[in-house]
Amino acid sequence: MKEIQQKLLATFQIEHRDHVEQIRSLLAIMDRTGAQPGAPELEEAFRRAHSLKGAARAVDLRPIEGLAHRLETLFSRVREGQCSLDRNTAGVVQQVLDASEDCIAALAENRPAETVAVALRAIERVLGMETRPAPAEPPPEPQAPVPAFQPLETVRITARNFDELFRTAGGLVTESQRQSRITEELDELVRAIALIEKEGRRVRHSAAAALSHAGAGRDRVRVTSLLDSLERHVHSVSRQARATLRLHRRSSWNMCQLGRQLQHDVWRARMVPAESLLEGYRQMVRGLARDEGKEIEFRASSAGVRADRRVLDALKDPVMHLLRNAVSHGIEPAAERTAKGKKTAGVVALRVDMQGQRLTVRIQDDGRGVDLARVAGIAVRDGILSPADAARSSAQDLTRILFRPGFSTSATVTSLSGRGMGLSVVYEAIRRLQGDIELQPAEGGGTVISLSVPLSIATHRVVVVNSGNQVFAIPILGIERLKRIRLSDIGSVEGKTVALLDGQSVPLAGIHALLGLESPSGRAGGDWLQIVILRSGSQRVALAVDAVVCEADAVIQDLGPAAGCEGRIASAVVLDDGSVAFVVNPMDLIQSALQPRLELQPLSFTKSAEPVAEPSPCTILVVDDSMTTRTLEKSILEAHGYRVRVAVDGMEALAHLRQETADLVIADIEMPRLNGFGLIEAMKQDAALRAIPVIIVSSVERREDQERGLALGADAYIVKRKFDQEELLGAIRQIL
């Protein structure tokens, strides 16, 4: 029953949002055309209020039912000509809709819906119901306290405790990743013991030859006995070390998977509807429009996205600044709009959506837009750009100047604008979220501002790089690809270093220069350079680094006031070896590299006397009877730099391995001739193959099959039904 109730509540929230948004749109139309009896917009508003009342009653949300009942009564009286829908009445309707949305937010946040009682009194004053008897379908008493919603099956926990729980889960993941270093040490120990075994056999052989000349004396017997005993002990230690290595490798992998699952579960619990970001903005925009003497139609929508609560909280102030800017700078007064042939009411639209693992917020208005010539003129006047720089700056370069602290195109200072701080505050807030902001002209006039931030700021998938003995972490969402290029593919355009990639010149800079740090004194020699290609929209920058260390899931730690590099570094991550890597913002690095006045010394590279050979990639054998699966896994692995061979079953795999060994085997279970279990058994019985690690990737997900595969010697077991290429790649990186 509780499950059904939860589904009903989720369905009601979607229906509620649709009814409220439609009633707002109908109000805007009736404000322009008039709400005459018989008008289709009025009939539709009445129908929507009636449907909302019935839906609220079905899920037993009495406060929303009461609000909808009064809206229905109001629209009914307007239909019958008993009252008019003037500006004051329309404002009360908006207040009722705001209160209804507050009820939904209260349901999610387990708090009282404080605005309901006020909205009820306001609409009842319009209806003249304060001294009337209760209607036939009585909603809750107006003066009675409005009950708080109690979500089903919830546990109250403070935000601080939730954040601490998430950090603890992240610490568990980090600690489990450190176990891979122990695995590496054990592997080295096994190799060392194997060398001792080999050396022992050589010593025994040499001793046997020497003792053969000594006859059958007592010394020969004693030495032979000692050598036999030593060989047995070394062999026993070797066997125990290999068994310990296999056990630790499996337990380490399982611990890592459990830690990741815990972290993921806590992360999901932190996610809340992005609809909460829209709360209060409608009322705020109406109030701002009234203060400015402007007519504004505000549209807000969400695509049912869920995001980290901390991300949404951090976005509320930036979005508020942008909406205030749209009202003050964007939308023209009614007279000016009429002179331009526009409708007197301006439109400001707010849309929250999701693209991949990023939350996007789009704010658009149909106002006057940005006067780029004025921006360039003020930038020259204030010494931000030289006249030459201003002349060759693109529209995107000029709009970026709007986000500088203190920059404003407003000729006067008002309570809303003119001090040049709003957009710079927005820019800094978005940058601290590892996000990006873009301002563009809208089609047909006006402005579009797009924000893009990660769905969660607590954890990121990062690529860890080394440069000049310093370690940096780059969120993977801002990386297009990793590449090694020849020094011959590096050139210069207009005095700036570029890399030639896919026939295009891409700006190339060192990470130290972009962060304003002291550049390393030297650079490793060779004919090759490791670069990280960053992308933001259509913009690309190649970042020169010494080496790519690893790819990892990392828990982000805010550095707060300790952050340096002019705010370009705001957080850090603890790596699996206990060291700290500074997290950089890819979008910020791109903008730093593309600044018109950025003075970067051309990168210089030294070549060693002898060419350095490019390291050969690891070889992986994929064994699966499904051509689709083989093709998928081969494509994924080759895209990440591995050399891949394939086999259709266990028999063919053994033939491949005995002809040419591999660094790792990825095998299915269900295959003809020789299945995955048989393949592992055959490999472990072959002295030349037993050391090759094996990962099982199979649709067989029974617990006993997984235990059997691991007991036979598999190093990891991944179920195809929930196949995640990152899980596979993570297991490969840990093993290799």
Side-chain angles (χ1 to χ4, degrees):
M1 176 61 76
K2 291 182 178 179
E3 205 173 302
I4 295 175
Q5 288 176 323
Q6 289 175 331
K7 290 182 179 179
L8 284 174
L9 281 173
T11 303
F12 172 76
Q13 288 179 341
I14 297 173
E15 183 179 359
H16 173 272
R17 182 166 60 244
D18 179 57
H19 286 317
V20 170
E21 291 179 355
Q22 290 300 321
I23 291 174
R24 291 190 193 278
S25 298
L26 294 167
L27 278 178
I29 296 173
M30 289 188 284
D31 183 52
R32 295 193 298 268
T33 62
Q36 301 300 324
E41 294 82 11
L42 184 57
E43 296 294 328
E44 178 66 9
F46 172 80
R47 185 191 69 79
R48 293 254 176 198
H50 177 78
S51 299
L52 181 58
K53 180 185 72 174
R57 181 184 299 140
V59 292
D60 198 29
L61 294 181
R62 297 294 181 180
I64 295 181
E65 180 189 350
L67 293 169
H69 177 77
R70 284 159 172 76
L71 273 184
E72 179 188 25
T73 302
L74 175 61
F75 289 138
S76 175
R77 292 186 183 181
V78 176
R79 290 168 67 206
E80 297 168 0
Q82 297 179 16
C83 65
S84 62
L85 193 61
D86 56 19
R87 185 64 58 87
N88 178 65
T89 304
V92 172
V93 173
Q94 295 280 14
Q95 184 180 357
V96 170
L97 296 175
D98 289 343
S100 183
E101 289 179 319
D102 185 44
C103 284
I104 297 296
L107 175 65
E109 299 171 9
N110 193 26
R111 61 171 174 80
E114 300 171 348
T115 59
V116 172
V118 177
L120 281 171
R121 289 194 292 269
I123 192 170
E124 287 183 344
R125 281 194 296 269
V126 173
L127 294 172
M129 294 175 59
E130 290 182 311
T131 58
R132 293 189 178 188
E137 279 186 302
E141 290 295 328
Q143 302 301 326
V146 180
F149 293 116
Q150 297 295 329
L152 298 173
E153 296 184 344
T154 61
V155 176
R156 300 192 65 175
I157 181 172
T158 65
R160 180 178 179 180
N161 287 343
F162 218 149
D163 291 341
E164 290 175 352
L165 178 61
F166 191 86
R167 282 193 291 270
T168 301
L172 175 61
V173 172
T174 301
E175 188 60 38
S176 66
Q177 290 173 342
R178 288 178 183 157
Q179 297 300 309
S180 62
R181 295 184 62 84
I182 301 177
T183 302
E184 293 173 5
E185 295 294 332
L186 283 173
D187 189 53
E188 288 297 322
L189 180 61
V190 169
R191 293 176 189 272
I193 295 175
L195 289 176
I196 293 174
E197 276 192 293
K198 182 178 179 180
E199 186 67 15
R201 288 192 295 269
R202 189 184 68 80
V203 170
R204 179 183 176 84
H205 179 75
S206 299
L211 291 172
S212 63
H213 301 291
R218 182 179 302 172
D219 291 341
R220 176 182 177 183
V221 173
R222 185 168 55 253
V223 171
T224 302
S225 176
L226 288 173
L227 288 175
D228 288 342
S229 176
L230 178 62
E231 186 174 9
R232 285 194 302 272
H233 283 304
V234 172
H235 182 71
S236 176
V237 170
S238 177
R239 185 173 61 253
Q240 291 176 8
R242 290 196 300 271
T244 302
L245 175 61
R246 288 195 299 270
L247 177 62
H248 185 272
R249 182 176 286 163
R250 288 198 297 270
S251 63
S252 174
W253 186 82
N254 287 332
M255 180 181 176
C256 186
Q257 296 305 305
L258 291 171
R260 291 182 188 280
Q261 184 62 48
L262 173 61
Q263 187 183 48
H264 180 69
D265 291 342
V266 177
W267 176 79
R268 287 183 61 188
R270 286 169 58 110
M271 306 297 274
V272 297
E275 180 76 19
S276 62
L277 184 62
L278 309 180
E279 294 173 20
Y281 287 144
R282 293 185 176 93
Q283 188 173 357
M284 182 197 77
V285 170
R286 287 198 301 273
L288 294 176
R290 182 176 60 251
D291 294 343
E292 290 266 308
K294 297 177 180 179
E295 297 181 42
I296 293 179
E297 177 186 343
F298 180 61
R299 304 169 184 170
S301 61
S302 170
V305 180
R306 298 180 68 85
D308 190 329
R309 171 187 52 79
R310 289 179 60 195
V311 172
L312 296 177
D313 288 344
L315 280 176
K316 286 185 176 179
D317 281 348
V319 172
M320 180 192 70
H321 279 298
L322 295 175
L323 291 174
R324 289 167 67 98
N325 201 64
V327 172
S328 180
H329 282 300
I331 303 299
E332 313 95 326
E336 183 179 337
R337 292 181 64 86
T338 301
K340 294 178 179 179
K342 296 182 177 181
K343 295 179 180 179
T344 55
V347 176
V348 176
L350 170 63
R351 172 75 177 177
V352 182
D353 213 330
M354 183 175 70
Q355 292 181 355
Q357 292 299 306
R358 296 186 75 83
L359 182 72
T360 61
V361 180
R362 178 185 172 95
I363 299 173
Q364 181 172 349
D365 66 72
D366 67 345
R368 60 171 63 95
V370 178
D371 186 346
L372 294 179
R374 179 169 174 77
V375 172
I378 295 175
V380 172
R381 183 198 68 189
D382 294 347
I384 298 172
L385 294 178
S386 67
D389 287 334
R392 62 171 174 261
S393 293
S394 66
Q396 193 169 35
D397 293 334
L398 293 175
T399 56
R400 285 280 170 182
I401 295 176
L402 293 170
F403 297 103
R404 293 175 63 95
F407 188 89
S408 177
T409 59
S410 179
T412 59
V413 175
T414 70
S415 61
L416 293 184
S417 63
R419 295 180 177 85
M421 296 306 296
L423 288 181
S424 68
V425 170
V426 171
Y427 179 76
E428 289 301 322
I430 299 304
R431 186 166 66 173
R432 283 194 170 273
L433 288 173
Q434 294 291 327
D436 189 24
I437 181 170
E438 189 174 40
L439 189 152
Q440 294 178 319
E443 293 184 10
T447 304
V448 177
I449 298 182
S450 300
L451 311 179
S452 174
V453 297
L455 286 175
S456 174
I457 58 176
T459 181
H460 284 292
R461 187 77 178 169
V462 297
V463 169
V464 180
V465 301
N466 181 284
S467 180
N469 296 322
Q470 287 183 293
V471 182
F472 302 96
I474 308 173
I476 202 168
L477 291 174
I479 297 177
E480 179 183 280
R481 57 178 161 150
L482 308 175
K483 188 175 178 63
R484 297 180 78 242
I485 61 173
R486 295 184 179 275
L487 297 188
S488 57
D489 291 329
I490 298 174
S492 178
V493 175
E494 297 182 354
K496 290 192 175 182
T497 307
V498 298
L500 303 178
L501 301 173
D502 306 323
Q504 296 181 340
S505 297
V506 177
L508 173 64
I511 189 171
H512 281 77
L514 296 183
L515 292 174
L517 300 172
E518 183 178 351
S519 297
S521 57
R523 183 175 297 278
D527 295 322
W528 297 85
L529 178 69
Q530 177 70 58
I531 62 173
V532 179
I533 303 172
L534 308 178
R535 176 183 285 276
S536 174
S538 60
Q539 299 174 318
R540 292 198 301 170
V541 166
L543 194 66
V545 299
D546 290 345
V548 174
V549 180
C550 65
E551 182 181 332
D553 288 320
V555 178
I556 305 300
Q557 306 289 340
D558 192 354
L559 294 178
C565 301
E566 300 179 357
R568 294 186 177 94
I569 292 177
S571 54
V573 298
V574 180
L575 302 177
D576 57 6
D577 62 355
S579 62
V580 175
F582 294 111
V583 180
V584 297
N585 187 341
M587 316 306 175
D588 193 65
L589 293 180
I590 291 173
Q591 295 309 316
S592 297
L594 298 178
Q595 285 180 18
R597 298 185 64 193
L598 181 66
E599 299 296 336
L600 290 179
Q601 293 296 326
L603 291 177
S604 60
F605 307 97
T606 60
K607 293 183 64 174
S608 58
E610 296 182 0
V612 178
E614 191 173 5
S616 58
C618 293
T619 299
I620 298 177
L621 177 63
V622 174
V623 190
D624 200 300
D625 61 332
S626 167
M627 183 174 66
T628 302
T629 301
R630 291 198 306 270
T631 303
L632 171 64
E633 293 178 0
K634 185 173 185 292
S635 300
I636 292 172
L637 297 173
E638 287 182 339
H640 285 78
Y642 297 105
R643 178 172 173 259
V644 182
R645 293 152 51 203
V646 296
V648 299
D649 58 29
M651 295 293 289
E652 185 175 336
L654 288 174
H656 274 296
L657 292 172
R658 286 164 180 160
Q659 183 178 4
E660 181 183 356
T661 189
D663 297 295
L664 174 72
V665 172
I666 298 176
D668 189 15
I669 293 296
E670 300 294 345
M671 296 183 293
R673 297 203 295 174
L674 183 64
N675 65 18
F677 293 143
L679 171 61
I680 297 174
E681 287 181 309
M683 290 177 61
K684 297 308 175 183
Q685 293 171 5
D686 190 324
L689 305 180
R690 65 167 61 116
I692 301 176
V694 179
I695 296 177
I696 297 175
V697 179
S698 175
S699 57
V700 177
E701 54 182 300
R702 291 178 302 179
R703 185 66 184 176
E704 54 267 32
D705 289 312
Q706 297 182 36
E707 291 175 352
R708 181 185 176 190
L710 295 174
L712 288 172
D715 297 273
Y717 195 116
I718 298 174
V719 178
K720 282 184 181 178
R721 179 179 58 81
K722 51 182 181 180
F723 176 75
D724 180 357
Q725 70 175 37
E726 292 301 329
E727 182 182 2
L728 174 62
L729 293 169
I732 293 172
R733 281 189 291 269
Q734 183 172 343
I735 292 172
L736 295 182

